[in-house]
Amino acid sequence: KKEELLSKFFGYFVGEGRLYERYSKRGLHQRRLGFTFGIDEQEIINDCKSICKQLFKKELLTYKEKSSKKCISLYMDLNKELFSMIKDELVLNKYSEKYIRTLALTHKVPDLILNGNKKIFTSFLTTYFDSEGTVGRIIGVTTISKQLSDGVCYVLRKLGIQYSYSTMPPNPKHKLVHRRHTITIGLNGFEQFSKEIGMMQQSALQK
């Protein structure tokens, strides 16, 4: 049960999560876990809150983004042990610095998922695609982390779900400074994806 909850938490984190440490003149001031979701994603927000409360025995607090009325941010302060556990599992070591604010570029699929069973795979992919994916006639997800896209592709292959992978170079003209990696579930994999993984956006999957 705990491994499945962790798998779901990991999916939300690599989709919309971040870690950061704040420093004051006196040194370390704060360690924090945060998420940002669309204001219309209330079901996903409630699920993420429930998972974190079960795992960490703490509530995710909510505040509305000042820069965007379409987003809601969740956060909780962490002790050193929890912060280190999440960072070690989900953040690439080469980006670990004294001052850290994790970005999508630093995310990876943790070993718990890569070495897991079918239930672990589906728990992780459900929350990852819920938080980061787009649903229409096809299902797609884009990340700027090559390691994350490689891990997601590995898990999809283990489940026997057909997908396509594409990559686009940086485009400074449009302020896209990192290479983008896109995973698409087309008609050949759509039915299997819906059956094995599903999403909270079930109505979209059924169209």
Side-chain angles (χ1 to χ4, degrees):
K1 177 68 174 179
K2 185 176 180 179
E3 286 189 345
E4 291 175 20
L5 283 174
L6 270 174
S7 301
K8 290 179 179 180
F9 167 75
F10 289 161
Y12 279 135
F13 183 88
V14 297
E16 296 292 353
R18 62 195 179 278
L19 290 173
Y20 51 93
E21 293 178 334
R22 295 180 183 273
Y23 286 82
S24 67
K25 292 181 180 180
R26 297 181 179 180
L28 180 64
H29 175 63
Q30 190 177 63
R31 296 183 181 90
R32 182 167 283 185
L33 163 70
F35 298 90
T36 301
F37 296 106
I39 199 167
D40 59 341
E41 297 179 304
Q42 194 59 53
E43 189 175 2
I44 292 172
I45 291 169
N46 290 342
D47 188 52
C48 184
K49 284 184 173 182
S50 174
I51 288 168
C52 288
K53 185 174 182 180
Q54 291 178 73
L55 283 173
F56 308 131
K57 312 303 180 188
K58 294 181 67 176
E59 296 276 0
L60 276 170
L61 303 178
T62 304
Y63 68 92
K64 291 186 178 180
E65 291 282 356
K66 294 181 180 178
S67 58
S68 174
K69 295 181 180 179
K70 296 181 179 180
C71 294
I72 290 179
S73 290
L74 311 175
Y75 71 93
M76 73 165 59
D77 292 328
L78 301 175
N79 60 33
K80 182 178 180 180
E81 290 71 25
L82 273 178
F83 186 92
S84 296
M85 183 278 287
I86 296 170
K87 183 165 73 75
D88 291 345
E89 288 288 343
L90 296 163
V91 180
L92 294 168
N93 289 334
K94 66 179 180 178
Y95 292 103
S96 299
E97 303 172 354
K98 183 179 179 181
Y99 178 82
I100 180 172
R101 185 185 188 280
T102 64
L103 303 173
L105 185 66
T106 70
H107 292 171
K108 64 177 181 177
V109 178
D111 290 341
L112 171 68
I113 307 300
L114 297 176
N115 299 323
N117 55 32
K118 182 177 179 180
K119 189 64 179 175
I120 297 297
F121 293 158
T122 57
S123 296
F124 170 77
L125 288 178
T126 297
T127 52
Y128 176 57
F129 275 87
D130 266 331
S131 60
E132 189 74 350
T134 57
V135 180
R137 293 185 177 181
I138 61 174
I139 303 165
V141 67
T142 297
T143 177
I144 58 174
S145 170
K146 180 65 164 62
Q147 289 80 0
L148 177 57
S149 67
D150 286 347
V152 172
C153 288
Y154 172 83
V155 176
L156 288 170
R157 288 196 300 273
K158 294 289 284 186
L159 290 171
I161 296 172
Q162 295 186 52
Y163 66 90
S164 63
Y165 166 83
S166 61
T167 183
M168 292 288 290
N171 189 339
K173 182 178 179 180
H174 297 286
K175 299 182 179 180
L176 299 172
V177 297
H178 299 292
R179 179 173 288 274
R180 290 162 292 158
H181 309 275
T182 299
I183 300 166
T184 304
I185 315 295
L187 292 177
N188 291 334
F190 195 95
E191 184 176 349
Q192 184 70 8
F193 182 95
S194 181
K195 176 183 176 182
E196 297 286 357
I197 300 170
M199 298 172 76
M200 286 189 183
Q201 305 172 69
Q202 282 296 324
S203 58
L205 279 173
Q206 293 164 7
K207 289 181 181 178

